[in-house]
Amino acid sequence: MAAKDSPSDEALLTYEATRKVAKEKADLLTKTYGTNSVQYALIDHGRIVVSGQSGKNDEKGQKPLTKDTMYGIGSTSKMFTTVAVMQLVDQGKIDLDTPVVRYIPEFTMKDERYKQITPRMLLNHSSGLNGSSMTNAFLFEDNDSYAYDTLLKQLAGQTLKADPGAYSVYCNDGFTLAQILVERVSGMDFTSYIHRYMTEPLGMANTATPLDSPDEAKMAGLYYPAYTGQLPNETSSLIGIGGIYSTAEDLARFSQIFTGKAEEVLSGKSAAAMAQDEFKTPLWPDDADSSFEYGLGWDSVNPYPFSEYGMKALTKGGDTLLYHSSLVVLPGQDMAAAVVTSGGSSVYNQLLANEILLRALKEKGTIAEFKPEKSYGVPVKADMPESVQQYSGIYGAFSGTINIDITKGGVMSVTSEQSPDTPAQIFGYSADGTFRSAYGNTIISFVTEENGRTYLWLRQYASLPGLGQKAISEYNAEKLRPQDLPAETRKAWMKRDGKKYYLLNEKYTSIVYLMMQPFQLNMSKQLPGYVSDKRITGPNTAVSELQIPGMSGRDLSAYTFFTQDGAEYLDVGGSILVNEDAVNPIYVAKKSIVTIPSNGYARWYSVSDKDGGKIVKVNMPSNASFAVYNAKGTCVYFSVVGGKDQVELPAGGVIVFAGDAGTKFEISAE
């Protein structure tokens, strides 16, 4: 869209210095930070003034990267969902503080508190929903909508992890529910809705969803370190949380909604409402420089480093399994930068977007100098009160558990229970009562909140050479309390300790087959009665009871075991896995048949030492796949990605066959 009243000095600027730096930093991402390709754009007063690309696209070098090459934008899709809800608020069709059940009567849960969840709570991550229902969420070249279609059924069997509105913790399912809300209220499917009310009015010609079946030739080339060669395109049916494709220039056009240039799309009042602090509930760390401070949809409405310059900024990042994105908007400056990549990380993308914006602000004369990078300062030696040792113990987060050990001399070591070979992080007690890293970029303190829970509060300035600095302030983990288990319960769990479990209910096109490692169940050696962050509640059940705001308390799920036909199965948030004891060796003969059972579960087989090294050929229909893993659990072949006629079986490895119920695989030894 053309600017309504672009100042003349903006029009005269060449942005030559900004363009040069943007290109240098984008090249750095591809050469140093493991990114395959980068696309970036800067918009200033309605005009795209910087745009470029870096890296490789297709393997053969026949499809150069252009400004129209499309990328998955992951969770930046949540901004489209938020804008859609706010458009319906503008029209008086949705009230942000009216319960969601008024709009979606079939939304139900086992926990009566669900009736208190409002659209606002979906958009500011405070609904209390557990997290992410991701079965069959990411597929190769397959727009199957299973993950979206089954959300309400998944939620119907769940309880909440917190009172609705109590605190904000990142939650994907809340935005899928918001997508359903938009469809119910508007009477349109979400893809049609965003095209009619966002992409078309804003001239976003290169923005699509998997339901548009976009041309694969227009998509950025995808790669994965463990696989040689280009991958098929990634698709996600969870469009409202992470399934949209776009370009950096289109995201720059989208940003005009938030700078007052597109009031015909969304009212200034609603855009401003989205940018308000929504995270400041009682359960949130005290003020400090940070990258996460939720608005409606936004990851942060006051991010570092723009807070250093007294500027309002808005950020949203997104990561799928293979794509990454970041959008950074400066509403008061009428500027925004967008970065999308194949490979890499949304953190890198945001730092690049920050750099582009800061360089442009300096080139325009809006800022005179760049602020220096920050540090908390090295520890100031002091005697530690003996009472501080009470904070030693095991702390849990959604990603696992850590062991905090504090000596009388004021030395704190932090080790991961899940990665025991990783060296301990060491922090020293400082005169202000915090623990500090030797270089002063990280400080840790402990906070006991009104809910009686004790949190590890991490504050950090993380510098990435050539890309700048990001700030973190978060409750990183919550202290867990050991418990004694009844003898029968302990016996049941000890039988599982160290066992591997294999995933059964992912579709044959699932990207998970390429990336997953077998799930290994390990009981906590340091915290009796726990497996990872989950408290064991019975012979066949364990639950995560974490209440951590921000990111560390996201995506909680229970473990539920059940036995069927003599085999033990594990249900983790809708994913069904089978105990390794039920995985038999594959029989490699001249010809053998594997059939997918009526429940549609994948069939797993181990590879014995005597069959290791044998070459097999698999004949199967198009609606099927198989994958082979070595003894370390790394995928060495996945038929959806590479269509070899024959594959060598690795000794000590496993092979999985996936397809619709009744699908037959013919396996022959070569």
Side-chain angles (χ1 to χ4, degrees):
M1 284 174 61
K4 293 170 186 172
D5 54 353
S6 300
S8 57
D9 57 335
E10 314 295 347
L12 293 171
L13 265 177
T14 63
Y15 297 88
E16 187 178 338
T18 305
R19 275 203 299 273
K20 183 172 180 286
V21 167
K23 177 67 173 142
E24 286 172 0
K25 304 289 184 185
D27 289 346
L28 183 69
L29 281 189
T30 60
K31 289 169 183 166
T32 306
Y33 286 98
T35 306
N36 304 313
S37 71
V38 185
Q39 188 189 71
Y40 54 88
L42 170 70
I43 192 167
D44 192 352
H45 286 80
R47 199 164 57 93
I48 293 174
V49 293
V50 175
S51 178
Q53 311 85 37
S54 179
K56 75 168 181 174
N57 195 16
D58 67 307
E59 250 196 322
K60 296 174 182 175
Q62 294 175 347
K63 297 175 193 165
L65 293 163
T66 73
K67 64 182 178 59
D68 298 329
T69 303
M70 292 166 65
Y71 293 75
I73 63 169
S75 286
T76 303
S77 304
K78 290 180 172 71
M79 298 314 302
F80 288 76
T81 310
T82 307
V83 168
V85 171
M86 298 306 289
Q87 286 174 330
L88 295 166
V89 169
D90 278 347
Q91 296 166 32
K93 294 179 179 176
I94 289 178
D95 183 306
L96 284 179
D97 300 308
T98 292
V100 170
V101 288
R102 292 270 195 91
Y103 306 103
I104 313 173
E106 65 270 42
F107 168 44
T108 183
M109 297 182 74
K110 286 202 299 190
D111 187 323
E112 284 297 301
R113 294 176 293 175
Y114 82 93
K115 294 174 184 175
Q116 302 165 29
I117 296 173
T118 64
R120 181 186 301 279
M121 295 171 191
L122 302 180
L123 303 182
N124 68 18
H125 300 285
S126 70
S127 65
L129 295 170
N130 285 305
S132 301
S133 300
M134 290 292 188
T135 303
N136 296 325
F138 296 100
L139 309 175
F140 278 126
E141 281 297 311
D142 183 350
N143 62 11
D144 184 341
S145 58
Y146 175 91
Y148 178 69
D149 296 340
T150 56
L151 178 76
L152 291 177
K153 182 182 176 185
Q154 289 282 343
L155 294 180
Q158 295 179 10
T159 56
L160 295 173
K161 63 184 175 189
D163 289 340
Y167 60 92
S168 290
V169 52
Y170 200 83
C171 178
N172 280 311
D173 283 350
F175 278 81
T176 303
L177 199 52
Q179 179 185 336
I180 295 171
L181 171 67
V182 169
E183 294 189 336
R184 292 288 192 278
V185 173
S186 70
M188 298 173 66
D189 72 88
F190 192 68
T191 296
S192 300
Y193 183 96
I194 63 169
H195 287 321
R196 182 181 297 181
Y197 297 114
M198 283 174 242
T199 67
E200 289 170 14
L202 291 166
M204 298 166 64
N206 294 305
T207 299
T209 82
L211 298 184
D212 293 314
S213 300
D215 180 0
E216 190 179 352
K218 284 190 69 176
M219 307 302 299
L222 295 173
Y223 301 87
Y224 183 62
Y227 172 76
T228 303
Q230 189 176 339
L231 303 175
N233 191 38
E234 179 186 52
T235 55
S236 175
S237 65
L238 297 172
I239 298 168
I241 72 165
I244 294 175
Y245 306 116
S246 194
T247 64
E249 288 198 3
D250 266 11
L251 287 179
R253 293 181 182 100
F254 180 69
S255 75
Q256 294 173 103
I257 293 171
F258 314 108
T259 59
K261 279 284 190 294
E263 290 220 29
E264 71 277 17
V265 176
L266 186 70
S267 72
K269 179 184 175 186
S270 283
M274 289 170 62
Q276 297 303 306
D277 296 341
E278 288 278 342
F279 61 92
K280 288 191 170 175
T281 54
L283 188 54
W284 196 270
D286 289 343
D287 288 345
D289 292 334
S290 181
S291 298
F292 281 94
E293 293 181 328
Y294 301 119
L296 296 177
W298 296 109
D299 287 338
S300 182
V301 294
N302 185 37
Y304 178 87
F306 298 101
S307 51
E308 292 292 289
Y309 297 89
M311 289 183 188
K312 177 75 170 177
L314 307 166
T315 64
K316 184 73 193 91
D319 299 277
T320 67
L321 298 177
L322 298 164
Y323 285 121
H324 311 275
S325 71
S326 180
L327 175 64
V328 181
V329 184
L330 306 180
Q333 317 305 316
D334 198 355
M335 295 172 71
V339 178
V340 288
T341 59
S342 161
S345 152
S346 65
V347 171
Y348 304 158
N349 294 10
Q350 184 178 333
L351 289 171
L352 175 54
N354 291 350
E355 284 284 299
I356 292 170
L357 283 164
L358 289 170
R359 296 285 171 167
L361 289 165
K362 188 166 187 290
E363 193 168 356
K364 291 169 65 171
T366 306
I367 59 176
E369 295 295 336
F370 298 126
K371 302 278 187 182
E373 291 198 344
K374 294 176 78 171
S375 167
Y376 286 104
V378 299
V380 177
K381 193 124 181 80
D383 291 335
M384 185 188 79
E386 205 171 308
S387 60
V388 175
Q389 281 191 276
Q390 68 181 304
Y391 295 113
S392 291
I394 302 296
Y395 288 71
F398 89 101
S399 54
T401 51
I402 55 175
N403 184 17
I404 302 288
D405 181 61
I406 302 172
T407 69
K408 285 182 180 176
V411 176
M412 180 173 76
S413 67
V414 182
T415 52
S416 164
E417 197 176 15
Q418 284 70 44
S419 305
D421 297 333
T422 303
Q425 293 177 279
I426 304 298
F427 300 85
Y429 185 77
S430 192
D432 65 349
T434 67
F435 288 89
R436 302 191 174 215
S437 60
Y439 296 108
N441 65 317
T442 304
I443 62 174
I444 288 175
S445 50
F446 298 92
V447 179
T448 301
E449 282 282 2
E450 292 172 13
N451 60 9
R453 298 174 184 231
T454 297
Y455 298 94
L456 183 155
W457 180 16
L458 171 78
R459 281 163 284 175
Q460 184 178 62
Y461 292 109
S463 296
L464 282 82
L467 285 178
Q469 190 178 52
K470 72 168 189 166
I472 298 167
S473 169
E474 64 176 7
Y475 286 159
N476 183 260
E478 174 186 335
K479 192 171 188 185
L480 303 176
R481 294 175 177 82
Q483 62 164 5
D484 292 326
L485 295 178
E488 181 191 351
T489 298
R490 178 173 170 74
K491 184 180 176 185
W493 281 88
M494 287 306 295
K495 280 184 184 174
R496 301 175 183 124
D497 191 29
K499 293 283 187 185
K500 291 176 181 172
Y501 288 77
Y502 293 96
L503 187 58
L504 298 176
N505 63 333
E506 279 290 311
K507 194 176 180 182
Y508 54 88
T509 49
S510 176
I511 297 175
V512 171
Y513 287 114
L514 177 68
M515 297 186 166
M516 72 177 170
Q517 293 272 324
F519 169 77
Q520 187 163 350
L521 190 143
N522 294 312
M523 291 183 68
S524 176
K525 304 295 182 281
Q526 300 162 312
L527 188 70
Y530 279 78
V531 53
S532 186
D533 65 295
K534 295 165 179 59
R535 184 173 68 84
I536 295 168
T537 54
N540 296 310
T541 53
V543 297
S544 182
E545 298 168 320
L546 301 173
Q547 291 204 350
I548 312 176
M551 297 296 277
S552 292
R554 63 178 291 181
D555 297 344
L556 305 186
S557 55
Y559 289 168
T560 305
F561 292 90
F562 60 96
T563 304
Q564 203 170 298
D565 300 327
E568 183 185 66
Y569 296 88
L570 168 61
D571 183 339
V572 185
S575 291
I576 307 297
L577 302 92
V578 67
N579 190 310
E580 64 176 87
D581 292 344
V583 175
N584 298 315
I586 191 165
Y587 175 64
V588 180
K590 278 292 180 190
K591 190 166 279 188
S592 52
I593 303 285
V594 169
T595 305
I596 300 297
S598 58
N599 57 17
Y601 287 169
R603 299 286 300 273
W604 288 85
Y605 295 90
S606 58
V607 179
S608 66
D609 287 343
K610 73 178 179 64
D611 285 330
K614 288 186 178 177
I615 307 294
V616 297
K617 185 173 182 177
V618 179
N619 286 321
M620 60 189 174
S622 59
N623 59 339
S625 72
F626 75 100
V628 180
Y629 304 83
N630 63 22
K632 294 179 179 177
T634 302
C635 181
V636 294
Y637 180 76
F638 181 29
S639 62
V640 169
V641 168
K644 287 183 191 170
D645 275 351
Q646 46 193 38
V647 182
E648 182 178 330
L649 295 179
V654 289
I655 184 169
V656 61
F657 301 90
D660 296 335
T663 298
K664 286 185 166 34
F665 299 78
E666 286 185 7
I667 301 135
S668 52
E670 293 294 305

